[in-house]
Amino acid sequence: MNREKYIREIARERVILLYKYSVERAREGDFELARRYIEIMLKIAGKARIKPPRYIRRGYCRRCHIPLIPGLTLSVRVRGSGKSSRLVYRCLQCGWVRRYMIKASGRRSS
């Protein structure tokens, strides 16, 4: 049991490190190496049965495995108003679209 916990901790560190490296490579323009880092990261996470942090899960394209960087590989839009507002992420490499609901904070006074 202790060994499995140790393996998961190492895997979590490597997943975070590989994601950071993939973002750096994408900013330098080397999208193929950035894509490869994401693929390796996903294999490690699956093998160790860990769930990457939310910013990593939302930080890459599910279709083409490119890190999502606003303005470079990602288009971000806010759609709707009021209760049904949502963020729309669109990958600029393959066109993949993902929508996230925006939680309304607090109550509105009329």
Side-chain angles (χ1 to χ4, degrees):
M1 184 63 186
N2 196 14
R3 181 172 182 231
E4 187 174 321
K5 189 175 180 181
Y6 181 68
I7 289 171
R8 285 185 177 179
E9 185 58 37
I10 291 173
R12 188 170 289 111
E13 290 172 6
R14 292 190 180 162
V15 161
I16 291 169
L17 197 61
L18 281 167
Y19 179 74
K20 190 187 323 179
Y21 288 160
S22 72
V23 170
E24 288 174 9
R25 291 294 164 218
R27 288 186 186 197
E28 292 172 4
D30 191 357
F31 295 121
E32 288 306 312
L33 187 56
R35 182 176 284 124
R36 184 69 182 133
Y37 283 154
I38 294 289
E39 289 170 357
I40 293 169
M41 177 196 79
L42 292 173
K43 284 183 184 179
I44 290 173
K47 190 73 173 174
R49 295 182 312 179
I50 63 165
K51 189 173 175 182
R54 181 183 284 180
Y55 76 94
I56 292 178
R57 290 194 311 262
R58 291 186 177 189
Y60 68 92
C61 177
R62 301 289 174 93
R63 188 191 296 173
C64 68
H65 296 133
I66 203 87
L68 297 175
I69 303 167
L72 184 63
T73 60
L74 173 69
S75 167
V76 181
R77 298 285 184 262
V78 178
R79 294 286 180 227
S81 61
K83 287 186 176 181
S84 64
S85 295
R86 57 197 173 276
L87 277 176
V88 179
Y89 282 9
R90 186 171 60 88
C91 176
L92 298 177
Q93 299 287 317
C94 67
W96 173 82
V97 175
R98 182 80 184 248
R99 293 168 191 89
Y100 299 105
M101 293 301 293
I102 300 174
K103 188 186 285 188
S105 60
R107 288 190 284 188
R108 292 185 176 182
S109 59
S110 335

